[in-house]
Amino acid sequence: MVNVGYAVFPPIISSVNKHREKETLFHNLTALASGQFAGRGIRFLYMLTIARMLGPEQTGVYLYGIALYLGVIGIGQFGQEMFLAQRIGKHGGAFLPILSHSLTLVLSVTLVVAVGLALFVWVSEPEPLLRLTILCFVGTMVARGMALWVRTVYVALERPAWIPKYEVVFRGSEALAGVGALYAGGGLLAVSLLHFLFWIIEAGFALRKLAREHPGALGLAYHRGYLKKIAAVSLLFLIGAAAMAQFPQIAIILLRKLQPDGAFVGHFGIAMQFMTTLMVIPLSASQAFLPHLSRAFSRGNGDRDLIAGIKLIGVLALAGSITAAAYGPWFITLVLGSNYAETASLFRWLCWMLTPYAVAIFLCRCMSLINGRGKAAFITVTMTISHAILLVAYMEQSPAIAAIGSMVLSAVGGMVIAMHQVNRQLGLSRNSWWLKFILLMLATYTVFESGWAPSTVTAPAALATGAVVMRLLHFFDKHDIDIIRRLFGRDRHLYVPA
């Protein structure tokens, strides 16, 4: 792999490391997960208010607009989450030239994508008010893209502690303003405009923070040869990231375009909002893990760290999916009312998708850092395309089965392929670690879905079964436990500095 950062700009490691604050993976994960949870929690409560006051159909339009721009925002980021985590995480050094060229690339591509998305909305939405509403989300994509790029920089620098504060302040302010606007008589357009406005404000504050703490990072650089090298290295990162972004959003977009029931789009979109909230921990864990993994492989000892991380992510996602499937529908009906029973039912079956999706995404992100960018991109693209094809093929029979079934089958396929590819890429002689995980999943879900009692009763039994199976299979061996303790900062004497 071409070492773009070092090839063009010599490292100044000593001067940077003197001021660089090294956090443990646990602290970074805590910051990222708490930030995600804070933002998700506030957005979740805000969405409940929107759903109650606007109804399923208009809520469906609001969630469609969000899904539309989240589905393409990864294109604008051009794989920089992975690129910066790899370059800065592995080397540190002279990162300011890398950041200024990265910003040039992200800003340019984001603006191009925004123009294309605006044209799509203009053509596909004949009603003027609805068109204006969805165009607000196109503008949000640009502002949110800049804010996300700044977060990506700080994650690569392993200094994400400020992110939770921003999430609470800006998402909370948006929610308060939105609720006030709804009670004052505002409607869908008002909350969409506020969504756009608050992401503009957050982007401004985030960019100012980066400029203040790292002068020169926001200077748009145009070293043509270097931009070409960044683009070449990031292209497969981009393909994988774009496919990842599309996978959880494409069902909402296709359901709105291919079937006439606007209320169903609202129910499914709300269920997906609950699901994406559950994804916070595994996705935050993988994001926090990337810089550490890059350094570990540069030292030649990343294999065991990667396998231990996969096991931990898989078990957390499995436990979360079982618990959510058992108690989530009751909670949804409680907070939204009986009119949203369909939302609760959709969410219950969407939980099947959480574990394979979390594992597949984690593995693909890790593969991208260990010279497996092409394989990772192939897996994520295949997952998204198969999801879309299956959804369209079975739409007429049942939109619900088509949407959920296509996601579950595609995620399971992606997970199995990713596990096999990681095993081959690491040169491991045995497949026992991922075969044990699949056996653990089957045993746990079999008990949960056996039907011998309500799901609120079978869930604890299933989790207990999973714990017994892990024990019998020696799922976490001594090396795994030592690595996990080190990653979480519990055994600092085991940590080998980068």
Side-chain angles (χ1 to χ4, degrees), residues 339-362:
N339 291 335
Y340 286 86
E342 187 174 3
T343 300
S345 177
L346 291 169
F347 173 77
R348 191 260 187 255
W349 296 109
L350 271 173
C351 288
W352 274 78
M353 185 264 297
L354 175 62
T355 302
Y357 178 77
V359 173
I361 295 305
F362 177 74

Side-chain angles (χ1 to χ4, degrees), residues 416-434:
V416 173
I417 296 171
M419 284 178 162
H420 179 63
Q421 288 298 328
V422 164
N423 205 68
R424 290 185 59 187
Q425 192 161 339
L426 295 180
L428 301 179
S429 58
R430 296 185 299 172
N431 298 323
S432 59
W433 65 271
W434 65 271

Side-chain angles (χ1 to χ4, degrees), residues 90 168 212 273 314 412 453:
K90 181 186 295 185
V168 171
R212 184 175 64 248
Q273 286 290 308
V412 170

Side-chain angles (χ1 to χ4, degrees), residues 478-496:
K478 183 180 183 299
H479 294 290
D480 294 328
I481 294 172
D482 288 343
I483 290 168
I484 291 170
R485 288 175 63 86
R486 169 165 57 84
L487 293 178
F488 280 76
R490 299 294 300 276
D491 284 346
R492 296 182 183 274
H493 65 280
L494 292 173
Y495 182 76
V496 180

